[in-house]
Amino acid sequence: MTDLSAHPGQQAFHEHRKLLFSVAYRLLGTAADAEDVVQDAWIKWSAADRSQVVDPRAYLTRIVSNLALERLRSARHKRETYMGPWLPEPILTGGDAAEAVADAESVSMALLVVLETLSPLERAVFVLKEVFDFSHAEIAEAVERSEAAVRQAAHRAREHVRARRPRFAADRSRRREATERFLAAAAGGDVNALMELLSPDVALWTDGGGKVRQALRPVVGAATVAAWFAAIGTVTYQGVEPADMKAEIVGINGGPGVVFSGPGRVIATVTFDFDAEGRITAIHNVANPDKLKAVAGGSAYDIGTR
């Protein structure tokens, strides 16, 4: 990691570093790539003529946005040829009530999955406008497009997201309670209790990346999904016996989630989407070991937007 204290201008960069990671992670959906982008931004910042920089926050956001856009464009083919569903890389965010509601929602798996369906430009414009409240003019400068093009992209992205993300979500206490009940029912193999928690058309998305055996297509329907999770306590998974499997509820991407671990390693994370009644409408299960490094590291990320 670069020693920022050894460079002039490090104070301004350090002041905005958490914000830069927050932007990069929402644009890229992976903590590793977001960290890389922030480091690359530091290199560009170090080499820049900072005497001409009036607003370091806007300048640094512009650097990060452009670096992230480059990565998004180069990653599109890789994600299109990915084995099975491609899910964002989960991050720890402390307790599920630790963040402001808007900040937590904007880093949720539900929204990040929808953002994957936008073009790189639409994603950047949506994140900068809707999440970080930059003006159209500021975004135009950041992504090097005309203000008119940015307004059009913002409108398309907003309509696209509105049509696809959950319109109603249960409050925090209901989500936490439902997560606790889900984990207890899964651990006890109680199919009926699981069925009560699931929406009839619930969908389970599993990401093993071809490295861990997972469903290559969404598992749909309450009965099928309930049976899937009721078997957790009875089968060996990734070489870990049920007796050696540990499950813990933690804050993941701004809400309650479950981390499954075996001796010395994290095995998977599970996060949930809820309807207004607190029923589970979607489950995102990340088991690709390459995507579990941020969670395995044990450090919670600050996902604030200010």
Side-chain angles (χ1 to χ4, degrees), residues 32-43:
D33 285 345
E35 294 283 13
D36 286 347
V37 160
V38 172
Q39 284 298 105
D40 290 346
W42 164 248
I43 293 170

Side-chain angles (χ1 to χ4, degrees), residues 3-258:
D3 179 9
L4 299 183
S5 63
H7 297 269
Q10 59 86 20
Q11 185 173 350
F13 186 89
H14 183 69
E15 180 184 342
H16 298 294
R17 184 172 191 136
K18 289 179 180 177
L19 174 71
L20 299 180
F21 175 85
S22 288
V23 172
Y25 177 70
R26 287 170 172 87
L27 288 179
L28 294 166
T30 85
D33 285 345
E35 294 283 13
D36 286 347
V37 160
V38 172
Q39 284 298 105
D40 290 346
W42 164 248
I43 293 170
K44 285 183 173 288
W45 172 254
S46 299
D49 179 4
R50 293 186 298 276
S51 65
Q52 305 300 311
V53 176
V54 177
D55 183 350
R57 177 178 181 267
Y59 187 89
L60 286 165
T61 302
R62 176 180 178 177
I63 294 175
V64 162
S65 298
N66 276 303
L67 289 169
L69 274 171
E70 288 174 17
R71 284 191 177 238
L72 269 180
R73 292 184 183 113
S74 64
R76 292 202 86 178
H77 175 68
K78 188 184 296 184
R79 295 185 185 182
E80 286 168 0
T81 57
Y82 193 79
M83 187 172 291
W86 190 98
L87 295 177
E89 180 183 353
I91 58 173
L92 299 175
T93 52
D96 59 319
E99 295 82 28
V101 173
D103 290 352
E105 198 280 335
S106 70
V107 80
S108 67
M109 279 283 175
L111 181 59
L112 292 178
V113 166
V114 173
L115 294 184
E116 280 297 313
T117 63
L118 298 176
S119 73
L121 177 62
E122 288 169 349
R123 183 169 186 164
V125 171
F126 180 88
V127 167
L128 293 175
K129 184 73 179 76
E130 301 298 324
V131 180
F132 293 93
D133 201 29
F134 281 88
S135 69
H136 290 113
E138 289 171 321
I139 298 169
E141 187 173 355
V143 300
E144 298 177 349
R145 295 289 194 281
S146 69
E147 192 171 337
V150 163
R151 287 182 181 276
Q152 288 178 345
H155 177 73
R156 288 195 306 270
R158 193 162 48 245
E159 292 301 307
H160 183 96
V161 171
R162 186 177 294 149
R164 286 165 177 80
R165 73 174 170 183
R167 300 192 195 274
F168 307 102
D171 62 33
R172 289 175 182 274
S173 60
R174 269 190 178 177
R175 285 185 287 161
R176 176 77 188 195
E177 179 192 2
T179 302
E180 291 171 348
R181 289 172 59 199
F182 181 92
L183 183 55
D190 191 337
V191 172
N192 290 331
L194 286 168
M195 289 279 288
E196 289 177 7
L197 293 166
L198 300 172
S199 170
D201 57 353
V202 62
L204 164 64
W205 303 79
T206 66
D207 180 344
K211 302 187 176 186
V212 173
R213 188 176 179 183
Q214 292 285 300
L216 297 181
R217 291 182 177 83
V219 178
V220 180
T224 311
V225 172
W228 174 290
F229 280 99
I232 283 180
T234 64
V235 297
T236 299
Y237 182 68
Q238 293 188 42
V240 179
E241 297 290 336
D244 297 325
M245 183 83 73
K246 177 185 175 186
E248 181 183 7
I249 296 177
V250 298
I252 300 178
N253 287 75
V258 182

